[in-house]
Amino acid sequence: EDERNSEKLFTNFAKFEERQLEHDRTRVIYKYALDKLGREQMPELYSNFIAFEKKHGNREGIEEVIVGKRRLQYEESVNENPHNYDAWFDYVKLEEEEGNEERIREVYERAVSQVPPIQEKRFW
């Protein structure tokens, strides 16, 4: 209930700032809410943020939103099935393209810690 109220509060606050043509403030509100409360808990807020970036963002901002969405999908996939090596490879490739060395290292370490349950290579 509190999370739902928080989502509505942040959504309304961001929309108010957008109506005032305060796009930087709007972006900060969305990012703060999503960082503090989590994208998974606030799907409506995240959808509004994506729509806002498409409407008012520059190319860099839009790409950041898309990468964030893909990152979230890979996280869900590897959390659901840690032995899904194709998802791990795609996730690592995404992080390599982004170039954040700390994040790349973290995903690689998580991926290599997933030892195949069977020794036969055909299952890898």
Side-chain angles (χ1 to χ4, degrees):
E1 176 98 11
D2 284 343
E3 287 177 359
R4 190 73 192 140
N5 289 336
S6 296
E7 183 176 23
K8 282 185 178 181
L9 174 75
F10 281 115
T11 299
N12 290 337
F13 187 25
K15 286 185 177 186
F16 168 78
E17 291 293 352
E18 184 179 2
R19 285 191 304 274
Q20 304 308 311
L21 303 178
E22 294 288 348
H23 299 133
D24 290 337
R25 286 186 187 177
T26 305
R27 187 171 289 110
V28 168
I29 292 165
Y30 279 126
K31 287 184 177 185
Y32 175 82
L34 292 169
D35 287 344
K36 295 296 177 192
L37 304 170
R39 292 178 177 149
E40 307 83 27
Q41 275 40 17
M42 308 210 150
E44 183 181 327
L45 185 81
Y46 188 60
S47 295
N48 289 334
F49 177 54
I50 291 171
F52 169 79
E53 281 296 342
K54 286 180 179 176
K55 188 175 180 182
H56 300 289
N58 56 18
R59 182 174 183 203
E60 209 172 272
I62 294 169
E63 287 177 359
E64 183 181 321
V65 168
I66 292 170
V67 167
K69 190 172 184 177
R70 287 179 55 204
R71 187 176 284 130
L72 183 63
Q73 290 169 337
Y74 288 133
E75 278 294 331
E76 289 172 353
S77 179
V78 298
N79 285 336
E80 190 177 298
N81 181 3
H83 295 108
N84 181 351
Y85 302 111
D86 290 332
W88 280 112
F89 287 128
D90 292 341
Y91 192 10
V92 166
K93 184 178 177 185
L94 171 72
E95 296 301 347
E96 286 176 339
E97 289 171 359
E98 288 303 299
N100 181 330
E101 289 183 21
E102 185 176 318
R103 210 175 264 219
I104 294 167
R105 183 175 294 115
E106 187 258 333
V107 173
Y108 261 113
E109 287 174 359
R110 288 175 51 210
V112 298
S113 71
Q114 302 303 320
V115 178
I118 300 173
Q119 292 299 318
E120 291 183 48
K121 260 192 172 178
R122 67 187 177 107
F123 292 107
W124 301 1

